Amino acid sequence: MKLVYSGKTKDVFALEDGNYLLKFKDDVTGTDGVFDPGANTVGLTLEGAGRAGLRLTKFFFEALGQKGIPTHYIDANPEAATMTVKPATVFGKGLEVICRYRAVGSFLRRYGMYAAEGQSLDAFVEVTLKDDDREDPPITKDALAMLGLLSAEEYEVLKALTQQIGNIVKEELAKKNIELYDIKFEFGRIGADKQIALIDEISGGNMRAFKDGKYIEPLVLEKLMLEG
């Protein structure tokens, strides 16, 4: 295996067969030791976070596969904290796509003059650039097309997939009486036909979930979802 990229929460290795191996780390994003899925820096290390994140990712990606939703997922080894995936090409230098069900985080920081904390949002989709230096600025459909990152038609596919996947995750959480406030996805193009597909992960590290009005930390979320 050859290390091709070392990110905030996982390392990426190239495999001889053309696929890739993701190694999940115990690092999570946040600020000053406080977890924040929207942060641009590693804020803390939680022992077991990598395996826990992968177990949830495996659960959700396999559920999406059963519903015919395109992803880069091939298989996973939670004990080794590794996941095998198909090669994917990201849009530009990478986009993050957020599906919001309640007004919290950066949405509230930007629009707090008009939005009340925790107010209901109808699966609002927001696209941001992966750009730490500029704090992941939001980008519009028109700007994405103008800059050649994503065509207008591809944007509509991306938006529809985001809402479809977000709603599936929301429904699965609701089975455990857990409410999804927001979730962050990454997408890329896979295969010869450059199909838009979900990549990266779906874990407690990239969502805000609450139970009985209290935020659920990533390790606790994994236990609530997959145990008992």
Side-chain angles (χ1 to χ4, degrees), residues 124-162:
F124 173 74
V125 174
E126 186 173 49
V127 180
T128 69
L129 298 177
K130 288 191 73 174
D131 186 339
D132 291 348
D133 292 340
R134 295 170 179 81
E135 298 183 351
D136 294 351
I139 184 167
T140 65
K141 173 183 176 180
D142 289 347
L144 286 165
M146 181 183 67
L147 296 173
L149 300 178
L150 198 69
S151 71
E153 293 76 18
E154 286 179 319
Y155 175 87
E156 294 302 328
V157 173
L158 186 80
K159 179 180 177 181
L161 276 173
T162 297

Side-chain angles (χ1 to χ4, degrees), residues 94-98 126-130 136 184-186:
L95 301 175
E96 292 183 342
V97 189
I98 302 99
E126 186 173 49
V127 180
T128 69
L129 298 177
K130 288 191 73 174
D136 294 351
K184 178 174 64 180
F185 300 121
E186 293 189 33

Side-chain angles (χ1 to χ4, degrees), residues 17-31:
D17 62 3
N19 294 320
Y20 289 85
L21 187 78
L22 308 185
K23 174 71 174 179
F24 284 59
K25 302 178 183 179
D26 286 343
D27 296 332
V28 297
T29 56
T31 305

